[in-house]
Amino acid sequence: MKLSTKHAGQTSDILDDMKIFVSRKENRGISFTNKEAAYYYTQSHLNNHVEHAYFEGLNISKSRIFSGYTLIADQRKLDNQEAEVCVYPYKMVRRHGSLTEELWMFDYKNVLEISLSGAQKTIGIELLGEQLNALSPRDGIAFFKSIEGGWVIAVGAASSQPVEVKNHIVYSGANAGGFYIAVGKTAAEAADMIHDTRRDIIPMKLERIKRMEDFLQKNVYIASSSDSLALSLNWLNLTMDQLVTRQQGDGIYAGLPWFNEYWGRDQFIALPGAVLVTGQFETAKNILLSFAKFQNTDATSKYFGRVPNILALKNVDYHTTDGTPRFIIQLQDYVKYSGDTAIITELYPAVQNSIEGSIKHWVDDKGYLMHDDNETWMDARDANLKSYSPRDTRANDIQALWYNQLQAGVYFAEYMNDSGSAKKWSNIAGKLKRNFAEDFRDQAHPYLADRLNSEDKPEFSLRPNQLFALDMIEDDSFKCEVIRTAWEELVYPWGVASLNQKHPYFHPFHLTSLYHKDEAYHNGTVWLWLNGIAMQRMIEAGQKETAYQLFKNMNWQALNKGVVGGLSENMDAYPQEGQSSAKLTGAYLQAWSNAEQLRVWYQYFLGFRPDMINHRLTLAPRIPGEIGDLQSRVKIGSGTIDITYTATGATEQTYLYGFTGIGLTVVIDISPFKLLHIEVKNDCELKITSSELDLKVILSDKTGTTVKEIIVSRLPLRVEQELNVNQLFKNVKFAEPMDLENHPVMKR
């Protein structure tokens, strides 16, 4: 299973096959990062986005450096609106008739290349930005003061010939080939980068290309003849990886353009899809260790044990309830994927502080984790600090996270032989689960309450948060009812809305002149990261085809709307008047949106769910019917598992798993057959064939000799369960926008 690769100059078959052409009408966002603290953003043809235009150009460490550029060839300014634009994972290309422009960014360097070929006599570049002040040129290089941050910009010809500056435009001869733009703290530092780039440009390009190629081939390989599946997932993997940076050690930008910093909540929502399912275990470890260093260890503080909500360059803030449970849960997930038990010993004090701090300051008599009004992810407030979406004092998703944090704590305590803590935390989790099932349900609602308020009353606004809490419900029929209700009332074909459209506070549009955008932020606006839990619950309920409709729509969006290859933060719940689809809003590239799409693919469609501390891997593939063939690779522990999948019509599916560098107990979960446990050693191959009649499993060693063969028939109990659940979900459909004419919000 090997991808086609080659290096001819600076080309790549893998990456070049991913190119996306962008039309003038589409005018899409294009974004690159240097994997450290810099990003470059532009639009393909015209920079006119209502939210993002301000951030066009180069940004470093939350400082705007310059706002894009204009190119000049033979005294003529090039009009991007007339260009043909093609975007690759590693560069942007604009063709202006006989002229070709390329934009490159480089790994871990504050350097850009803007090449321009096809000119006859001269080429020029004008850096944009009102506060961009020219400095004295020297040694044939032009210098400017950055818009913000006190940086110095150096502009030099790609060749060694000198440049000259006239009317703020940097000129050179046509044979210069283009310009290098370097940014440093001093002119000397920036100039040195220009000289280094001239010397090392080919290795710099090859290094960036090879990193992306290796990532796609070794970590997240996927191939399929199914329509656009591999293309969209490859793009999503690489745009997600753009946000895995080293601005303050290893971390994950929450999103671009304005969230180029590390947020605890966003970091740990994104971590599974960003670095665990993609096999970047060292990065995951560094992120966890980095946040642990900033844990609040002041035993007298009510925030004792919390990790930061915001870990920014100049701000560390602990005002969030959900970031800390997610930190502990992701520590557990990291151990399950990597098998790194040493980190348990290192961070067990952080686990203890996180749980005991909550017990001391925030847990009530029923085991619920209390919190302030805007300490959940729905945290928007007005100028008077009044919440637009009140969720105090016990939100359902917070209780689910607290429950899972306690369960993770028990997992770690048992490993550390801390039986006292394991028993204590397990008892609290049990009490919490019992009370939750009673307090968050009533006979009048086919779904869970969103919260218990300060008067211990359940509040039944229909929101998607309840999908996180279903692990605390034992009633399977009710769980199916919750999932169907949430899907049909909240899940549009373009994503999951934050509030039911029948609610009086529902806001159909995020950006509108009718009200402030923060009123809508958590009161109707679609959040693409919520697609992950919505699809997961549908798949768990046996409705993989329904889940795949949403998954496929998101893949299409990454390839055709918004920033090239990625997913945005938000969308309107309803299409604007005269439009057939909802408008993208919020950050143009949001970490948790991309990450949740990827997590669900690997964990729930492919069905890889490891637990390396117990040397166990659950294989629970739920591959949709329209995918007829598939090849993929995952990294688990110190090994890799290659999968080849083929479907023969609708009646037979064959899964072939090759294990390299890893051996463990495999739990095979393919309905309607019973769970099978089989010991798999290194370099073995596992072949699973599912038909209407039986499930056949053949384990072979590295010589191809059959070691074990198992054939099981359909399990009557699972057959009956499937039939019952399918009946509960019969004719399930997406939410559909209602007529807004008489809606309270629109009557204001």
Side-chain angles (χ1 to χ4, degrees):
M1 187 185 299
K2 190 167 181 65
L3 294 175
S4 170
T5 63
K6 70 176 181 180
H7 290 297
Q10 298 84 42
T11 65
S12 159
D13 281 349
I14 308 168
L15 303 178
D16 288 358
D17 287 346
M18 292 172 62
K19 62 181 179 293
I20 291 179
F21 292 94
V22 182
S23 70
R24 177 178 177 179
K25 181 179 179 181
E26 291 169 325
N27 192 34
R28 299 180 66 183
I30 300 165
S31 179
F32 303 106
T33 75
N34 72 347
K35 293 284 290 175
E36 190 171 55
Y39 74 89
Y40 191 93
Y41 168 78
T42 188
Q43 286 176 258
S44 57
H45 293 78
L46 177 65
N47 193 50
N48 63 355
H49 195 284
V50 65
E51 293 182 284
H52 307 146
Y54 176 81
F55 294 95
E56 184 188 21
L58 183 63
N59 298 260
I60 301 176
S61 300
K62 298 194 74 65
S63 294
R64 294 168 63 228
I65 305 303
F66 64 90
S67 297
Y69 60 87
T70 299
L71 288 176
I72 298 94
D74 299 324
Q75 306 303 313
R76 176 176 66 90
K77 286 192 175 183
L78 303 186
D79 185 356
N80 293 339
Q81 295 188 67
E82 301 299 324
E84 296 178 0
V85 181
C86 186
V87 184
Y88 300 76
Y90 59 93
K91 68 177 180 179
M92 176 195 69
V93 178
R94 289 192 182 110
R95 302 194 187 281
H96 309 266
S98 61
L99 303 168
T100 300
E101 165 197 354
E102 289 194 7
L103 167 69
W104 285 73
M105 204 166 196
F106 302 102
D107 289 354
Y108 310 115
K109 294 178 175 63
N110 294 334
V111 176
L112 296 172
E113 179 192 57
I114 314 294
S115 69
L116 184 60
S117 60
Q120 299 300 310
K121 296 182 179 179
T122 62
I123 58 173
I125 186 168
E126 180 181 11
L127 302 188
L128 306 178
E130 291 183 3
Q131 300 86 7
L132 207 63
N133 297 316
L135 304 174
S136 299
R138 68 184 189 202
D139 298 328
I141 297 174
F143 296 93
F144 300 86
K145 198 73 173 176
S146 65
I147 295 173
E148 299 172 348
W151 297 84
V152 177
I153 307 165
V155 182
S159 68
S160 297
Q161 63 184 277
V163 301
E164 59 177 337
V165 182
K166 295 180 181 179
N167 299 322
H168 215 70
I169 299 173
V170 181
Y171 288 100
S172 191
N175 60 353
F179 301 94
Y180 297 144
I181 302 172
V183 182
K185 283 300 184 181
T186 65
E189 181 185 10
D192 285 345
M193 283 190 248
I194 295 288
H195 297 310
D196 291 345
T197 303
R198 286 171 176 164
R199 182 191 66 227
D200 298 331
I201 186 62
I202 298 300
M204 287 165 60
K205 288 185 175 182
L206 291 176
E207 179 183 354
R208 186 164 171 91
I209 288 171
K210 188 175 186 303
R211 173 181 60 79
M212 294 182 183
E213 283 182 338
D214 286 350
F215 182 57
L216 293 182
Q217 180 171 343
K218 297 176 181 178
N219 289 51
V220 294
Y221 172 60
I222 178 171
S224 175
S225 62
S226 183
D227 181 37
S228 301
L229 177 67
L231 178 62
S232 56
L233 288 173
N234 281 338
W235 265 109
L236 286 163
N237 270 306
L238 288 179
T239 53
M240 177 69 256
D241 196 55
Q242 281 191 28
L243 302 179
V244 180
T245 64
R246 294 179 182 172
Q247 180 163 279
Q248 290 174 276
D250 287 333
I252 304 170
Y253 280 166
L256 297 176
W258 43 75
F259 300 136
N260 53 325
E261 58 198 358
Y262 304 157
W263 289 60
R265 172 188 298 129
D266 300 59
Q267 191 103 185
F268 298 118
I269 289 173
L271 192 138
V275 293
L276 291 184
V277 301
T278 59
Q280 299 178 85
F281 303 139
E282 190 66 23
T283 300
K285 176 182 179 179
N286 291 339
I287 291 170
L288 291 163
L289 293 174
S290 174
F291 261 78
K293 291 177 182 177
F294 290 91
Q295 185 179 38
N296 188 315
T297 55
D298 179 0
T300 65
S301 169
K302 70 175 184 177
Y303 297 137
F304 173 60
R306 286 190 181 184
V307 296
N309 180 37
I310 301 175
L311 183 54
L313 293 169
K314 299 180 180 179
N315 182 28
V316 178
D317 173 61
Y318 295 94
H319 192 63
T320 181
T321 298
D322 51 344
T324 303
R326 289 190 183 278
F327 165 67
I328 301 302
I329 294 164
Q330 288 317 306
L331 175 60
Q332 182 184 32
D333 281 353
Y334 163 72
V335 173
K336 286 183 173 182
Y337 267 89
S338 68
D340 175 13
T341 55
I343 199 173
I344 300 177
T345 303
E346 185 173 0
L347 291 187
Y348 187 62
V351 174
Q352 292 175 299
N353 289 343
S354 75
I355 295 175
E356 293 298 331
S358 291
I359 292 171
K360 180 178 180 181
H361 295 289
W362 297 96
V363 175
D364 69 7
D365 292 339
K366 286 189 170 184
Y368 292 127
L369 183 62
M370 308 284 282
H371 54 85
D372 290 338
D373 193 34
N374 73 318
E375 287 194 328
T376 79
W377 77 275
M378 290 185 165
D379 55 3
R381 295 189 289 182
D382 64 17
N384 298 314
L385 302 184
K386 181 180 178 182
S387 293
Y388 286 118
S389 308
R391 301 195 70 222
D392 68 321
T393 53
R394 286 146 292 180
N396 56 19
D397 54 320
I398 297 299
Q399 307 319 310
L401 290 169
W402 172 231
Y403 175 77
N404 286 314
Q405 179 185 3
L406 289 165
Q407 296 286 67
V410 172
Y411 180 93
F412 293 129
E414 290 176 344
Y415 180 84
M416 296 294 295
N417 295 316
D418 182 0
S419 58
S421 293
K423 182 178 180 180
K424 176 183 178 181
W425 299 341
S426 182
N427 288 339
I428 295 173
K431 179 168 64 173
L432 170 67
K433 185 176 182 179
R434 290 190 298 272
N435 286 321
F436 184 91
E438 181 176 342
D439 294 342
F440 280 77
R441 289 182 61 180
D442 69 11
Q443 296 298 315
H445 297 89
Y447 57 90
L448 293 169
D450 187 59
R451 63 186 173 111
L452 300 181
N453 63 23
S454 57
E455 299 175 351
D456 293 333
K457 298 290 179 63
E459 195 277 317
F460 279 93
S461 294
L462 178 51
R463 296 184 181 274
N465 305 301
Q466 63 191 289
L467 294 172
F468 294 100
L470 293 185
D471 293 337
M472 293 195 291
I473 301 295
E474 298 290 345
D475 185 339
D476 289 337
S477 294
F478 177 70
K479 287 166 72 171
C480 289
E481 199 171 10
V482 170
I483 295 167
R484 177 161 188 155
T485 300
W487 193 274
E488 294 197 320
E489 298 292 339
L490 297 168
V491 184
Y492 297 89
W494 43 88
V496 181
S498 45
L499 183 63
N500 174 29
Q501 58 188 328
K502 297 172 185 175
H503 195 286
Y505 290 167
F506 172 76
H507 293 64
F509 310 117
H510 185 195
L511 298 181
T512 176
S513 60
L514 300 173
Y515 43 75
H516 192 282
K517 67 179 182 179
D518 282 350
E519 287 188 59
Y521 206 33
H522 302 112
N523 290 323
T525 295
V526 162
W527 289 77
L528 301 188
W529 79 277
L530 294 171
N531 296 352
I533 190 63
M535 290 186 285
Q536 175 185 327
R537 294 309 188 198
M538 267 294 177
I539 293 169
E540 289 173 338
Q543 309 305 304
K544 64 184 181 184
E545 302 298 339
T546 300
Y548 190 65
Q549 292 177 52
L550 181 57
F551 185 82
K552 188 176 177 181
N553 289 351
M554 291 300 100
N555 286 348
W556 181 90
Q557 180 173 304
L559 296 180
N560 294 279
K561 293 187 69 175
V563 70
V564 173
L567 296 175
S568 65
E569 178 187 12
N570 303 118
M571 295 182 74
D572 287 341
Y574 287 7
Q576 301 275 356
E577 186 175 354
Q579 300 296 314
S580 59
S581 61
K583 181 180 179 180
L584 279 65
T585 64
Y588 64 75
L589 179 60
Q590 187 78 357
W592 57 18
S593 300
N594 267 35
E596 279 294 274
Q597 182 82 348
L598 294 169
R599 180 187 68 84
V600 166
W601 169 252
Y602 289 101
Q603 292 183 347
Y604 287 90
F605 285 113
L606 285 186
F608 282 88
R609 298 200 285 276
D611 183 1
M612 290 301 295
I613 195 174
N614 292 311
H615 305 288
R616 185 171 61 236
L617 168 66
T618 297
L619 292 177
R622 303 292 187 265
I623 298 176
E626 75 173 59
I627 300 176
D629 63 273
L630 179 69
Q631 291 179 304
S632 191
R633 175 176 296 141
V634 297
K635 294 184 71 174
I636 294 171
S638 59
T640 59
I641 303 172
D642 290 324
I643 174 176
T644 300
Y645 166 82
T646 54
T648 306
T651 60
E652 184 172 291
Q653 298 82 39
T654 300
Y655 311 84
L656 190 64
Y657 299 93
F659 294 77
T660 303
I662 188 172
L664 33 62
T665 300
V666 173
V667 181
I668 301 170
D669 177 5
I670 298 179
S671 187
F673 307 99
K674 71 175 184 178
L675 298 183
L676 296 176
H677 295 71
I678 188 166
E679 296 298 321
V680 177
K681 294 183 179 179
N682 180 28
D683 290 336
C684 283
E685 187 173 80
L686 189 63
K687 183 178 181 181
I688 304 171
T689 304
S690 172
S691 70
E692 287 188 324
L693 298 177
D694 55 39
L695 184 73
K696 184 176 182 179
V697 179
I698 299 175
L699 178 65
S700 305
D701 64 19
K702 59 184 177 181
T703 69
T705 303
T706 298
V707 175
K708 192 168 188 177
E709 182 173 337
I710 305 172
I711 300 177
V712 294
S713 300
R714 292 154 67 93
L715 190 66
L717 179 61
R718 291 194 84 172
V719 172
E720 182 181 0
Q721 289 173 338
E722 269 194 11
L723 291 172
N724 291 338
V725 170
N726 287 342
Q727 189 62 34
L728 290 172
F729 284 96
K730 186 177 180 179
N731 298 323
V732 66
K733 59 183 181 180
F734 283 113
E736 297 177 357
M738 296 169 51
D739 183 0
L740 287 173
E741 184 176 351
N742 296 314
H743 198 284
V745 168
M746 306 305 288
K747 282 184 172 182
R748 292 184 186 179

